[in-house]
Amino acid sequence: MDPPHAVRDQATRPGRRSRPLGPLERATLAHVAVLLIFATWGYGGNVSWTRTGLALWASLGAAITLAALGDREARSHGYLRPLRWLWPLGAFNLLVLASLFNPTFHPVMFGSELLYAQSAGPRWPWLPSSARPDRALQALWFFDGVYLSCFNLVLVVRQRRALRGLLALFAVNAGLLAVFGTVQKLAAAPGLYFGARATPQAHFFASFIYPNHWGAFAVLMVAVCLGLIFHFARRLATREFWHSPASGLLVVVLLLAVSVPLSQSRSCTALLLALLALAFAHWLLRLLRRQRKSTESIVLPFGAGILAILLAGAFAYHLARTEIGARLATTREQIAEMRAHDSFGSRALLYRDTWHMALAKPWCGWGLGSYPTVFFLYNTQQDQAADHLPMYFNDAHSDWLQSLAEAGVIGTALLALAAFVPLYRRRHVLRASPLTSYLLGGCGLLVFYAALEFPFDNGAVVIAFWICLFCGVHYGRLAPSGGRPAD
């Protein structure tokens, strides 16, 4: 899996010591670590009290950003240049804040229940509007705090080793969650934390309420582990590799790979298999390149790799065979139902109705957090239900469509630019390390998955996504060949 003669990076060469981490660097790393770990164990950040707690903790990121602005050394060396990346975030905030003063729904008391009714029209039809200004403000608060907290990794951290340590901590945390979730599943726990908390979703896993949210998080953490593994494979000899943290990371990959089908997430199981297949192809290419540079045969390592994959697959299937069988049966039933009704099922209707909702306010949308309130105006599924009872949808099951419906084309474009601008500014160093490639590749898989599901509704997934993206764009800049900022 690794060439025998690899060059160590400069920070680990004998006789060369790394610069010690400064207080602000330590504070940034600790702040982000607590943010993600609390989110993962706090029901994925998807209950009201944990989401509020995460927003409060993430707000400290703004204080770290302000502290970084006062660093004279950072200004003199150009480390504050990434602040120019924040213009999409600023424009998105202006869009949302303007919508708060232009509500389109108003609260109505129906007995003891608070409902929201559509107003005759917004106060200023030419300005952005919001159906639920309270929810829009809460969503913006959480997003701003998470984005700035993760952005601080670029603004403050100066060492690759620190970023690798942070990512390794997250990998270990994900492995512990996978073990916890597996034991909980095998024990047939009736709810989260072995029944301590009831959950509306029967197929929960670990501390995550929805299995596809766990699946998305697990896929991203597998990408983190693979990036770290290939990092060690490139810089260490074979014997050193097996005595490095890479061996433990391989165990974490196995635990996460078992947990995804065990959680009954079909779509994320497919994503995971695709990611692992790409990693296997990457490893095979490394073997072929190694053979060209030496006379060693690749038959033995290739055979060992195939055997390890078969054993891991058999172990995963043995643990998850009941869940896999149940989901296969459900899939066959859904296919049969779609053939009988000559349609793609309720999900297609949900997408169609959400698209109609987005077309009603195409430029700026209905406002952040407005989907549950507004969608009933466009929901046609209750008309087709056998009992004609209304069907309630809290999410569009497509983050792309829901973003268009809530933020419009302009808001969605600004959110996309919040990720694209850092990638573009650091485009020259994105292939400097396999760790960068796997981090950004994992983020890309989640963006693709968001077209068909709603992974970004989960707080832990949102935090992990921005951590991986900013670590990915920053890691290449800290490569030994580059001393000055690459912006």
Side-chain angles (χ1 to χ4, degrees), residues 217-260:
F217 177 77
V219 168
L220 194 53
M221 290 298 103
V222 168
V224 169
C225 292
L226 291 172
L228 290 170
I229 289 169
F230 278 103
H231 162 77
F232 288 111
R234 189 173 68 169
R235 61 185 283 268
L236 294 176
T238 304
R239 293 181 180 178
E240 293 176 313
F241 174 84
W242 291 110
H243 291 87
S244 73
S247 57
L249 291 167
L250 284 171
V251 174
V252 173
V253 169
L254 175 61
L255 294 172
L256 291 170
V258 170
S259 73
V260 176

Side-chain angles (χ1 to χ4, degrees), residues 21-317:
L21 291 173
L24 195 58
E25 288 177 288
R26 294 180 184 274
T28 301
L29 293 167
H31 178 248
V32 173
V34 171
L35 183 65
L36 182 59
I37 292 173
F38 174 62
T40 55
W41 290 95
Y43 308 104
N46 267 40
V47 296
S48 58
W49 69 268
T50 57
R51 185 60 67 98
T52 301
L54 288 169
L56 285 168
W57 180 257
S59 299
L60 297 177
I64 294 176
T65 305
L66 292 175
L69 296 179
D71 189 342
R72 294 182 179 179
E73 181 183 356
R75 289 198 301 269
S76 62
H77 287 84
Y79 290 123
L80 300 185
R81 291 177 184 174
L83 287 169
R84 295 178 295 184
W85 303 353
L86 295 180
W87 69 264
L89 179 68
F92 182 74
N93 273 259
L94 290 176
L95 180 73
V96 176
L97 291 175
S99 72
L100 301 181
F101 301 97
N102 204 20
T104 54
F105 278 64
H106 62 275
V108 176
M109 292 300 299
F110 185 75
S112 60
E113 189 175 359
L114 179 64
L115 303 177
Y116 285 84
Q118 188 175 20
S119 304
R123 298 174 185 172
W124 300 286
W126 60 90
L127 288 178
S129 60
S130 176
R132 293 289 303 273
D134 55 335
R135 289 193 173 185
L137 189 60
Q138 291 172 1
L140 183 67
W141 177 28
F142 176 76
F143 178 75
D144 282 352
V146 169
Y147 190 92
L148 279 179
S149 297
C150 301
F151 171 77
N152 287 336
L153 294 172
V154 176
L155 200 64
V156 175
V157 179
R158 306 281 182 263
Q159 288 188 26
R160 289 179 300 168
R161 179 177 292 182
L163 293 180
R164 290 197 302 267
L166 181 70
L167 294 170
L169 174 64
F170 294 152
V172 171
N173 177 68
L176 293 175
L177 279 164
V179 171
F180 168 65
T182 300
V183 174
Q184 186 174 244
K185 180 68 70 172
L186 295 178
L192 295 165
Y193 287 98
F194 292 95
R197 181 180 177 90
T199 172
Q201 173 57 245
H203 303 303
F204 62 91
F205 190 85
S207 58
F208 285 65
I209 298 173
Y210 190 62
N212 285 347
H213 288 164
W214 165 255
F217 177 77
V219 168
L220 194 53
M221 290 298 103
V222 168
V224 169
C225 292
L226 291 172
L228 290 170
I229 289 169
F230 278 103
H231 162 77
F232 288 111
R234 189 173 68 169
R235 61 185 283 268
L236 294 176
T238 304
R239 293 181 180 178
E240 293 176 313
F241 174 84
W242 291 110
H243 291 87
S244 73
S247 57
L249 291 167
L250 284 171
V251 174
V252 173
V253 169
L254 175 61
L255 294 172
L256 291 170
V258 170
S259 73
V260 176
L262 194 62
S263 71
Q264 300 192 25
S265 176
R266 293 170 292 180
S267 52
C268 290
T269 300
L271 282 181
L272 179 65
L273 290 175
L275 177 60
L276 293 176
L278 289 173
F280 180 77
H282 182 194
W283 174 66
L284 185 58
L285 285 175
R286 293 177 64 86
L287 280 180
L288 293 173
R289 290 172 184 170
R290 174 179 176 176
Q291 184 187 33
R292 293 174 186 173
K293 296 178 180 180
S294 66
T295 58
E296 296 181 16
S297 173
I298 65 169
V299 174
L300 183 60
F302 180 75
I306 293 295
L307 180 61
I309 291 173
L310 292 175
L311 291 175
F315 175 70
Y317 181 77

